[in-house]
Amino acid sequence: MNNNIIFGIRPVTEAINSGRQIDKIILKKGADSVQLAQIRDLARSKKIQIQDVPVEKLNWLTRNGAHQGVIAVGSVIEYREITDIVEEITENEENPLIVVFDGVTDVRNFGGIARSAECAGVQALVVPVKNAAPVNSEAIKSSAGALNLIPVCRVGSLRNTLKYLQQCGMQIVAATEKSETLLYEADFQKPTVIVMGSEDKGISKEILKMCDVKVAIPLRGSIESLNVSAAAAVTLFEVVRQRK
């Protein structure tokens, strides 16, 4: 059984109210009790992801039926606030380099990008609450421990977060094959936020429209794109090359 899970109405409620960082709340599908409705509302108010599943899934996760229809999955890392990260970068007079994930759901890709990011000196990773790979033990293993070293910020709205970073003077750079501008033509000497998109669809149209610069990695083979983890590594170390 996962050591990071809490189950039962009272323990889950207390965990949320205590301020403990929780990845998601898992509820019994179709449950309509007052207590579970209150937990759902509480989770929404704290911007915690909610997942509705068959009771069999809850039974399997807890190995018994004492869950009362609800499980909380605790975070394996401590998430940071993006505003705090920006403040620290400013105080230390660092040239910002931040990576934002838009729809990256594969745990191994997420971990691989985190590893490259830590090696490249990225100051923070930004992930959305929904439609994102879980930051779990497998992700930490795939990152070779980088997720224990690099700050991770979990946000409710990527759009609002990118607007905030733009207001702080950072350029938003989309890594996308849908660009005629090559990676090596971009200016990464500026404070930069790099957006990496999902494994299948890439960066969403809404987020792509917000980006100040769109860059593509030149390819010479017949396959149209790199794996997102490989693409992130190539992009990040072009930043390192330019800044060095």
Side-chain angles (χ1 to χ4, degrees):
M1 185 172 68
N2 187 335
N3 291 329
N4 291 311
I5 72 169
I6 304 160
F7 55 91
I9 290 170
R10 184 171 179 178
V12 169
T13 301
E14 290 176 348
I16 298 173
N17 284 327
S18 71
R20 173 170 177 172
Q21 294 196 339
I22 295 172
D23 273 339
K24 63 182 175 181
I25 297 294
I26 305 175
L27 290 168
K28 176 184 173 183
K29 185 180 291 184
D32 57 358
S33 73
V34 173
Q35 294 97 327
L36 293 180
Q38 289 173 340
I39 288 176
R40 184 185 296 275
D41 290 341
L42 185 59
R44 283 174 176 164
S45 71
K46 302 289 186 180
K47 296 181 180 179
I48 300 172
Q49 182 182 0
I50 300 169
Q51 183 179 1
D52 293 284
V53 303
V55 67
E56 290 80 10
K57 177 71 176 288
L58 295 169
N59 292 340
W60 181 81
L61 287 170
T62 60
R63 300 292 188 269
N64 60 51
H67 47 72
Q68 297 179 299
V70 61
I71 291 174
V73 181
S75 303
V76 296
I77 64 168
E78 182 178 350
Y79 292 102
R80 299 284 306 281
E81 293 292 334
I82 188 63
T83 51
D84 293 339
I85 297 297
V86 171
E87 184 177 342
E88 289 174 10
I89 293 171
T90 303
E91 287 179 354
N92 295 329
E93 298 183 350
E94 297 179 81
N95 192 2
L97 179 57
I98 293 171
V99 174
V100 170
F101 295 83
D102 179 24
V104 177
T105 57
D106 184 89
V107 172
R108 287 169 295 183
N109 279 336
F110 176 73
I113 295 171
R115 181 175 184 173
S116 296
E118 202 283 327
C119 290
V122 169
Q123 285 109 339
L125 307 177
V126 178
V127 299
V129 171
K130 297 181 179 179
N131 196 27
V135 184
N136 55 21
S137 56
E138 185 179 352
I140 291 175
K141 181 179 179 181
S142 298
S143 76
L147 285 168
N148 288 322
L149 300 172
I150 188 168
V152 180
C153 308
R154 186 169 56 179
V155 300
S157 170
L158 282 184
R159 183 180 176 84
N160 291 342
T161 301
L162 290 176
K163 281 184 179 179
Y164 165 72
L165 294 173
Q166 283 175 321
Q167 291 167 357
C168 292
M170 301 182 204
Q171 65 171 346
I172 311 300
V173 178
T176 172
E177 69 275 10
K178 301 172 185 177
S179 173
E180 295 182 1
T181 301
L182 296 182
L183 170 67
Y184 311 114
E185 297 169 352
D187 180 6
F188 290 115
Q189 300 284 358
K190 303 175 182 177
T192 299
V193 176
I194 294 174
V195 182
M196 302 304 303
S198 69
E199 294 87 350
D200 53 349
K201 297 179 181 178
I203 299 170
S204 63
K205 291 181 180 179
E206 180 186 31
I207 297 301
L208 201 57
K209 288 179 181 178
M210 297 185 64
C211 295
D212 303 301
V213 182
K214 303 175 183 65
V215 297
I217 297 170
L219 303 175
R220 300 190 66 179
S222 56
I223 296 176
E224 294 182 355
S225 64
L226 291 171
N227 168 279
V228 65
S229 179
V234 171
T235 303
L236 288 169
F237 281 93
E238 172 58 16
V239 180
V240 172
R241 185 193 71 81
Q242 288 192 23
R243 293 186 177 186
K244 187 175 180 181

